[in-house]
Amino acid sequence: MSFGEPEGYDAHARPRPLGRRGRSQAVAAAVCLVLGLGLLGGAVTGSWLVGDPGGTEGRGTFAAAGGLWHSVPVDRLFPPTVAGQGAGPGGADRTWTRIAVAPDSGCQEAFDPLLRKALAPVGCRRLLRATYTDATQSHVTTVGLLFTKADAAAMTSLASRFDKERLDRRGDLMPLPYAAPDTAAARFGAGQRASWTVSVLTDAPVVVYAVSGWADGRTVDEPQPAEDAMATGATTAPAQAGLGHEAQGLADRVERALRKNVRSATEQPS
């Protein structure tokens, strides 16, 4: 996943075609030159906006992202209230309220053994987690930011493996929830996981994930990846309850907050 602008923003400068067919050869040559310069400028602009991991700007962005866990207040990474416009089934709006923040920690007890093994190549520098509930307090969702020890090449390699082997869709690689006592998530344990998403970023040393379930403590026999639970016509219990949308929607918006904080950290004074 590219660490660029959030979905819905155009991060590419696209030059408009210049000149018309049928003109003289000289004019056509001039048009080609202008187009070539425009495309080159667009490529440079796009690289600057996205942050090429191999360039100075990209390396600075990567480093800034890796340090956010200790330099940014928790309310900026996990806002107390998250608005999910159009994030629910059928484009319905969602609002999530944070009910607990886990102490920042390592990863030893935070993942099931198989997921911990899959993530081992990038290491674990710090893990931040928060649990949210929806407006009706019927659903609970834990969202996590795993800050790794890896460089850009290692993150790209892990992302490629997750994609090729579809590790983000394997039920035995689901993230664990954070069940905070005396909250709506108190009974949100491993057996209550209903839907999940895992995203390995490639130009930031971060893995973003979310896992959702019901707040009433019911067990789930067949958890479903968020992508499947959000598919049109899906009829599983997690899909019908919108729990795929809960996991994916909240993960997306926490990732957007992360991106916004990276931009703030790398802005140069004018």
Side-chain angles (χ1 to χ4, degrees):
M1 178 176 290
S2 177
F3 192 75
E5 296 285 350
E7 183 180 356
Y9 291 85
D10 189 352
H12 302 282
R14 294 183 174 87
R16 295 180 179 178
L18 299 176
R20 296 180 179 177
R21 294 181 181 179
R23 292 188 177 184
S24 67
Q25 186 175 11
V27 173
V31 169
C32 290
L33 176 61
V34 172
L35 283 172
L37 291 175
L39 289 171
L40 178 61
V44 172
T45 301
S47 176
W48 179 79
L49 287 170
V50 174
D52 179 9
T56 302
E57 183 76 23
R59 288 193 296 271
T61 299
F62 193 93
L68 289 182
W69 66 269
H70 64 76
S71 63
V72 174
V74 67
D75 283 355
R76 286 170 53 187
L77 292 173
F78 299 123
T81 302
V82 177
Q85 184 175 4
D93 293 341
R94 282 287 188 268
T95 300
W96 297 284
T97 301
R98 193 185 70 201
I99 55 176
V101 176
D104 61 324
S105 66
C107 299
Q108 188 63 30
E109 305 299 328
F111 298 118
D112 285 337
L114 282 179
L115 181 55
R116 188 165 64 244
K117 182 178 180 180
L119 295 171
V122 295
C124 174
R125 187 176 303 279
R126 217 66 174 177
L127 176 63
L128 307 183
R129 295 171 293 166
T131 298
Y132 288 78
T133 186
D134 69 320
T136 66
Q137 296 194 349
S138 299
H139 307 142
V140 284
T141 303
T142 292
V143 59
L145 295 172
L146 166 60
F147 290 84
T148 76
K149 299 178 180 179
D151 59 14
M155 293 300 294
T156 299
S157 177
L158 183 65
S160 177
R161 184 189 173 204
F162 262 70
D163 181 54
K164 290 179 180 178
E165 300 180 24
R166 301 170 70 86
L167 300 185
D168 57 335
R169 303 168 71 86
R170 279 179 45 173
D172 56 353
L173 294 177
M174 273 191 296
L176 285 170
Y178 174 59
D182 302 319
T183 70
R187 293 183 286 175
F188 188 23
Q192 285 69 44
R193 294 175 291 184
S195 192
W196 76 96
T197 181
V198 179
S199 178
V200 181
L201 306 187
T202 57
D203 43 9
V206 181
V207 177
V208 184
Y209 69 85
V211 56
S212 62
W214 281 276
D216 60 9
R218 75 183 73 175
T219 57
V220 181
D221 294 329
E222 296 183 13
Q224 191 173 30
E227 184 177 346
D228 292 346
M230 295 169 64
T232 302
T235 58
T236 63
Q240 292 293 307
L243 287 167
H245 290 80
E246 296 287 310
Q248 190 66 61
L250 193 52
D252 286 348
R253 280 146 185 85
V254 167
E255 184 178 330
R256 292 179 192 181
L258 178 76
R259 295 173 186 275
K260 182 177 180 181
N261 282 293
V262 172
R263 289 196 300 273
S264 297
T266 55
E267 282 177 354
Q268 297 296 324
S270 58

